[in-house]
Each structure stands twice: as C-alpha cells, then as structure tokens.
Amino acid sequence: DTGVSQNPRHKITKRGQNVTFRCDPISEHNRLYWYRQTLGQGPEFLTYFQNEAQLEKSRLLSDRFSAERPKGSFSTLEIQRTEQGDSAMYLCASSPPGTFTNYGYTFGSGTRLTVV
Amino acid sequence: AQSVAQPEDQVNVAEGNPLTVKCTYSVSGNPYLFWYVQYPNRGLQFLLKYITGDNLVKGSYGFEAEFNKSQTSFHLKKPSALVSDSALYFCAVRDSGAHTGTASKLTFGTGTRLQVTL
C-alpha cells in the first residue's frame, strides 16, 4: 500500500455538470476525511467517515454535495450542478483506528476541480 | 470550537539561518497539534505532531516544534534552513476528544509560505 490515492488528479467541468471524485485510503485505516482547499487558504473540513458510517458533516457541505463510503473502504464525493465557487482542491485523508488516535492523518495528493 | 492562527503569510530566511514559523491555537480540551508541509499541486505531508510529553517535538527533515501551553503556541523551527524547505506550511489542531470519546476533525490554519533564499 503506497498511501492515500485520489482520482482523478485534475477535473475540468462546465458549470451545471455533476462530478464525482474517488478516494482510496490506506487499507488498514478505518477513518476517512474529505477536505476542500481554495487558493491561499488552509484545508477546510467537509465530512468524516468511520468505516461506512458518515459521522460528521460540515455546514460547507451543501445539498449539492454528497459523500459515500459504501463498504468502509474507498469513498466517493459527488458534486451536483457544479458552480464556479466549487473550484478548489479536494483532499482526502485517512487515519487508523483507535478511540483517541494520535496519528497525523495521511493525505492524498488531491483532486483539483476547475469549473468553467 | 477549535481554531488555529498563523499570523505570518510569508516568512523569508536565508539558507543556513534558523527559521521559525508561528502558530497559536484554541481548543476546548487538551490539544493535539500538527504541522504539515505542502509543495505546489501536492497534498499535505506530515512533519510532526504533539500529543503529550516533552514540549519540544522533533520531526521530519530536521524540523522541530515547541509546545507552549501558557501561550497556546506551537511554533515550527529549524536550526539551519535549506532552499528545498521552501513550501507552504500548515499548523493544525484537534481536540483530544476526551470529553466526547470520539476522534474529531483537524482544523487548519491559513498557512505560511516559507521562502528560503541563497
């Protein structure tokens, strides 16, 4: 296992189209996080899964955004009816099990979305 | 709510000189503190963390950070900067979760761009 994998690396889409991103975490990590990073800003939390359960969602995650982790392994993040403001780097991270885990999260390289 | 402040947008230092990148935090419980580095068009790479124990934490690539509870700070330091250290650095915090019993999200600062010149 070489780390957290995100696909695609880049996505250009027209406004109003739907897009889906995929994240494959480190295999033994049961926790998975999605973050969004816009230019000049730090990553902002979007949502968090523990196994297949989505335990927390940010207010940033509007109704147009949906995330799934159906079998507790890979996750998908879908954006419907994309807007130009959705243009950002979407980062996925994973961390191992443990109630008070003290590990730094492992991040993927991200998917850069450009909405034109 | 937890938060992180990185007061400097950019830090400039000459190669071979010591560097400091500042970070202050706010959490309701005990903090877990992290530093990450980001190179252009890449994800974040873990540098070091403070969970408990010694206030001086050593990490990757010769970086270290000092936890100061009274000042709620976790400044990143390196005794001798390299040009290859030039990148975007993020400080992050999460609550230990002791009062909730669950792991919680990382909250990041806005980042500090480190520029090391010859």
Side-chain angles (χ1 to χ4, degrees), chain B residues 35-39 43-47 61 85 87-90:
Chain B
W35 276 101
Y36 286 84
V37 60
Q38 187 176 37
Y39 295 96
L44 281 75
Q45 296 178 31
F46 171 75
L47 277 180
Y61 313 119
D85 293 330
L88 193 54
Y89 290 81
F90 290 98

Side-chain angles (χ1 to χ4, degrees), chain A residues 2 6-8 16-17 21 25 31 40 49 51 61 67 70 79 83-84 88-89 95-96 104-105 114-116:
Chain A
T2 57
Q6 291 188 248
N7 289 288
Q17 298 293 307
F21 311 139
R31 292 175 172 157
F49 289 87
N51 300 313
L61 214 64
I79 308 174
E83 301 173 356
Q84 287 188 322
M89 175 79 88
S95 68
Y105 303 171
T114 302
V115 182
V116 298

Side-chain angles (χ1 to χ4, degrees), chain A residues 83-96:
Chain A
E83 301 173 356
Q84 287 188 322
D86 297 331
S87 296
M89 175 79 88
Y90 290 84
L91 295 166
C92 177
S94 68
S95 68

Side-chain angles (χ1 to χ4, degrees), chain B residues 5-67:
Chain B
Q6 292 183 245
E8 304 152 315
D9 289 336
Q10 181 156 327
V11 170
N12 299 306
V13 63
E15 187 173 58
N17 284 356
L19 69 87
T20 298
V21 182
K22 295 180 181 177
C23 170
T24 58
Y25 67 90
S26 174
V27 291
S28 55
N30 291 320
Y32 288 171
L33 294 155
F34 303 84
W35 276 101
Y36 286 84
V37 60
Q38 187 176 37
Y39 295 96
N41 297 313
R42 301 295 299 275
L44 281 75
Q45 296 178 31
F46 171 75
L47 277 180
L48 51 79
K49 66 181 185 291
Y50 171 83
I51 304 301
T52 187
D54 290 341
N55 290 341
L56 186 63
V57 177
K58 294 188 182 297
S60 307
Y61 313 119
F63 283 93
E64 57 190 29
E66 186 170 11
F67 171 64

Side-chain angles (χ1 to χ4, degrees), chain A residues 35 37 56 101-102 105, chain B residues 36 38 49 94 104-106:
Chain A
Y35 283 79
Q37 185 180 20
E56 189 172 355
T101 181
N102 60 2
Y105 303 171
Chain B
Y36 286 84
Q38 187 176 37
K49 66 181 185 291
R94 51 162 284 201
S104 59
K105 61 183 180 290
L106 280 180

